[in-house]
Amino acid sequence: EYLAWPSAQRREKVVDKLMADSRFIDRWSVFFGDMLRVRANAQGGPALTAYVHQALAEDMPYDELARRLIKTNGRAGKTPEAGFVLADDA
């Protein structure tokens, strides 16, 4: 398939194809979970994991995601972003 595409369009087409795969969001959710130190067993951890996954699926800009995580206020049960603050007790 890759070789059948015009050579000038191959890179763009393969990137688009990979990004459209559901595994792309799953993989980057894991990456961001590690980077953000999301703890699934901590208070709000599962909700935060789902929030990050949804943000990536909706193509939320990374700077907006960071701002939302930093400035959040509330309880993890009602505000998933609060799990970011609650998860790290270091």
Side-chain angles (χ1 to χ4, degrees), residues 5-25:
W5 294 330
S7 60
Q9 298 176 0
R10 287 179 184 159
R11 183 177 192 281
E12 180 180 350
K13 285 185 172 280
V14 78
V15 167
D16 289 344
K17 182 177 180 175
L18 291 171
M19 289 181 68
D21 190 314
S22 64
R23 294 174 294 178
F24 175 84
I25 294 169

Side-chain angles (χ1 to χ4, degrees), residues 41-75:
N41 59 350
Q43 182 182 5
L48 177 58
T49 299
Y51 179 79
V52 169
H53 191 273
Q54 181 180 352
L56 292 169
E58 294 174 355
D59 203 21
M60 181 186 294
Y62 301 135
D63 61 326
E64 182 179 342
L65 175 61
R67 276 194 302 277
R68 288 183 181 197
L69 293 175
I70 292 168
K71 74 176 188 175
T72 192
N73 191 5
R75 295 177 188 249

